[in-house]
């Protein structure tokens, strides 16, 4: 009989994971999908012989409505212990290569499905529904492969990073090495592509990708960005009278310039096989001014990176409520109504308390149309009982708006919602 020794950190994470799995199994959701797709792999992770990818853990946490803080700490400790076992580095490299191939296949599949959906003549209703369904799942595959590439790259970076004062930050390639002591180095690589160019002195060696002088904004937060750090920048001073128009033109020009630079950097990173850093570059865009995202969308599509824009929308769906509302508003203002609605639909996979915050943020910004779109999508994909639980969080805000959304769908949806609200005690008899 072979006895497999499981490192202590791995055992701690596995114990926590089994508790999460028990709760997620009661809910259904993503647990049922993962259990059907790869039951043997899931069992190996629950036994502690394999490490469950973080994106899967994150999906289960979102299904049960739990914050990722403690789980993320345990995961990172377990990953470090797992990767330091004999053959761990070689296994990471092999998995990263396999995941890159999976990402490429998903990207090609997305492009093919988008071509079919946009073909002339257009596909019939049944075929269009099937294609849209396939596209949604393929985008999920692409997003997960991209996230795993970033995670595997970061783990390799930590595994090979030198110890002590010159230790490289997580995810940074070990080949970069420590900076010369006499030179204050400017941050380099894709993860710094949206920082201010003038923050630090020029570096001694040329950067592998161009440094983009794009600053400002709040760093990405929420479930997909947990564990990343970054300082908040102060809000800009109010413009002086008479400068608003000029400032708007300057901002539009700056948005285009930033988008062009970002796509150039993205192309370089992809050509060098640095897909993890390419994904981080995209995510960093979510930390900048929301008004710059429509320009980035246009440049990505023009460069043939439409799948990356889909991935970026997927990531944006996990932003905190106020940030999600700001991004949705920026897309709507720029005439990207389809992108706005897609973002709001994808943002439904979060606890009802966060959805309430998203609606409140949209209403506070006079975004009633977007709030209506969000609640309409909610009623379309969730049960009336879930709608009643949502309404109970803030009846004054949500009951009239949920009612309007239900009526806009159908009389049957309106009746079902009213019944659920009465049963749930949100409406009187």
């Amino acid at each position: 009989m072979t006895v497999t020794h499981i490192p202590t950190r791995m055992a701690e994470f596995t114990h926590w994971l089994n508790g999460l799995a028990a709760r997620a199994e009661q809910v259904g959701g993503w647990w049922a999908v993962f259990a059907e797709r790869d039951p043997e792999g899931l069992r190996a992770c629950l036994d502690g012989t394999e490490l469950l990818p973080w994106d899967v853990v994150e999906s289960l946490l979102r299904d049960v409505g739990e914050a990722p803080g403690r789980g993320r700490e345990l995961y990172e400790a377990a990953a470090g212990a797992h990767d330091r076992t004999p053959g761990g580095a070689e296994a990471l490299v092999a998995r990263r290569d396999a995941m890159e191939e999976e990402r490429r296949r998903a990207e090609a599949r997305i492009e093919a499905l988008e071509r079919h959906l946009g073909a002339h003549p257009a596909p019939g209703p049944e075929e269009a529904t099937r294609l849209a369904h396939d596209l949604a799942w393929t985008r999920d595959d692409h997003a997960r492969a991209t996230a795993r590439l970033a995670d595997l790259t970061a783990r390799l970076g930590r595994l090979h990073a030198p110890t002590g004062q010159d230790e490289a930050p997580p995810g940074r390639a070990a080949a970069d090495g420590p900076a010369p002591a006499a030179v204050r180095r400017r941050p380099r690589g894709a993860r710094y592509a949206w920082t201010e160019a003038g923050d630090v002195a020029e570096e001694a060696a040329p950067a592998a990708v161009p440094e983009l002088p794009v600053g400002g904004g709040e760093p990405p937060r929420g479930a997909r960005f947990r564990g990343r750090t970054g300082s908040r920048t102060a809000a800009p001073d109010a413009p002086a009278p008479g400068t608003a128009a000029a400032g708007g033109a300057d901002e539009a020009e700056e948005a285009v310039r930033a988008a062009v630079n970002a796509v150039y950097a993205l192309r370089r990173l992809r050509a060098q096989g640095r897909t993890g850093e390419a994904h981080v570059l995209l995510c960093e865009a979510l930390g900048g001014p929301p008004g710059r995202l429509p320009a980035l969308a246009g440049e990505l599509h023009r460069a043939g990176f439409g799948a990356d824009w889909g991935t970026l929308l997927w990531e944006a769906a996990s932003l905190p409520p106020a940030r999600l509302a700001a991004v949705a508003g920026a897309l709507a203002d720029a005439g990207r109504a389809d992108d706005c609605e897609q973002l709001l639909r994808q943002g439904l996979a979060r606890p009802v308390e966060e959805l309430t915050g998203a609606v409140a943020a949209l209403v506070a910004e006079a975004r009633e149309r977007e709030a209506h779109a969000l609640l309409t999508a909610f009623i379309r994909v969730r049960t009336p009982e879930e709608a009643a639980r949502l309404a109970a969080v803030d009846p004054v805000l949500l009951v009239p708006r949920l009612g309007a959304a239900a009526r806009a769908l159908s009389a049957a949806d309106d009746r079902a919602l009213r019944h659920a609200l009465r049963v749930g005690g949100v409406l009187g008899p």
Side-chain angles (χ1 to χ4, degrees):
M1 177 178 175
T2 301
V3 178
T4 302
H5 172 69
I6 300 176
T8 302
R9 297 296 190 186
M10 189 75 175
E12 291 174 351
F13 173 71
T14 301
H15 176 75
W16 174 87
L17 179 64
N18 274 272
L20 171 63
R23 297 189 296 278
E25 192 171 8
Q26 299 299 316
V27 175
W30 280 109
W31 170 267
V33 175
F34 298 135
E36 181 181 352
R37 279 189 167 189
D38 187 11
E40 293 182 4
L42 194 56
R43 174 47 52 193
C45 294
L46 294 174
D47 290 343
T49 55
E50 292 291 343
L51 185 65
L52 194 66
W54 176 250
D55 66 280
V56 177
V57 179
E58 195 173 54
S59 293
L60 298 181
L61 284 167
R62 293 178 68 179
D63 275 349
V64 301
E66 294 181 14
R70 175 61 176 158
R72 183 69 192 186
E73 292 175 7
L74 291 171
Y75 171 81
E76 290 182 349
H82 182 272
D83 298 342
R84 285 192 296 272
T85 57
E90 292 80 1
L92 277 178
V93 172
R95 288 185 179 183
R96 186 177 64 174
D97 291 345
M99 201 52 57
E100 168 60 17
E101 182 60 31
E102 185 172 329
R103 187 199 66 78
R104 291 179 187 273
R105 286 198 300 268
E107 191 170 79
R109 176 69 174 155
I110 287 171
E111 292 175 356
L113 288 168
E114 287 179 337
R115 282 198 303 272
H116 286 310
L117 278 168
H120 296 286
E126 290 187 7
E127 178 68 4
T129 300
R130 185 189 68 79
L131 290 171
H133 180 268
D134 289 349
L135 181 59
W137 279 109
T138 308
R139 280 178 172 160
D140 180 70
D141 291 339
H142 182 269
R144 292 186 185 279
T146 304
R148 291 176 196 181
L149 272 170
D151 183 57
L152 292 167
T153 301
R155 285 163 59 184
L156 272 171
R158 287 193 292 269
L159 193 61
H160 295 300
T163 57
Q165 208 168 16
D166 290 328
E167 184 174 352
R172 173 92 171 262
D176 283 354
V183 179
R184 185 184 179 193
R185 294 179 65 87
R186 173 180 173 181
R188 58 184 295 191
R191 70 173 64 239
Y192 302 106
W194 291 78
T195 57
E196 290 288 355
D199 286 345
V200 289
E202 290 295 324
E203 62 182 303
V209 295
E211 300 295 339
L212 308 186
V214 182
E218 183 180 16
R221 297 185 292 120
R224 292 175 188 253
F225 305 99
R226 191 76 63 181
R228 299 177 189 170
T229 59
S231 61
R232 297 169 186 254
T233 55
D237 295 334
T243 63
D250 290 344
E251 176 57 30
E253 183 179 341
E254 180 67 15
V256 172
R257 187 177 68 83
V260 170
N261 285 343
V263 171
Y264 174 72
L266 186 66
R267 195 189 302 276
R268 289 280 303 277
L269 289 169
R270 287 277 166 74
Q272 295 169 11
R274 295 159 64 183
T275 53
E277 290 177 88
H279 179 69
V280 172
L281 168 63
L282 285 171
C283 291
E284 289 292 337
L286 296 177
R292 294 185 181 179
L293 289 173
L296 179 60
E299 288 300 323
L300 286 170
H301 283 291
R302 275 189 287 274
F305 292 151
D308 288 294
W309 175 245
T311 298
L312 192 60
L313 285 178
W314 182 275
E315 295 284 2
S318 293
L319 289 170
R323 189 72 176 174
L324 174 69
V327 172
L331 294 173
D333 286 346
R336 304 191 72 90
D338 291 344
D339 287 339
C340 176
E341 291 182 10
Q342 179 182 335
L343 170 64
L344 294 173
R345 284 197 306 272
Q346 291 175 169
L348 294 175
R350 58 176 66 206
V352 292
E353 293 79 9
E354 289 192 21
L355 282 173
T356 302
V359 175
L362 288 167
V363 172
E365 294 292 328
R367 298 283 181 184
E368 286 286 352
R369 180 181 177 278
E370 286 73 32
H372 179 79
L374 175 61
L375 293 175
T376 301
F378 182 89
I379 291 174
R380 186 178 285 120
V381 302
R382 299 284 191 94
T383 66
E385 292 73 22
E386 288 175 310
R389 287 200 296 273
L390 174 64
V393 178
D394 189 341
V396 174
L397 172 72
L398 293 168
V399 169
R401 291 177 172 84
L402 279 168
R407 289 191 297 275
L409 288 173
S410 70
D413 286 307
D414 184 33
R415 287 193 299 272
L417 174 65
R418 288 179 176 275
H419 176 72
L421 290 173
R422 291 192 184 96
V423 171
V426 183
L427 276 184

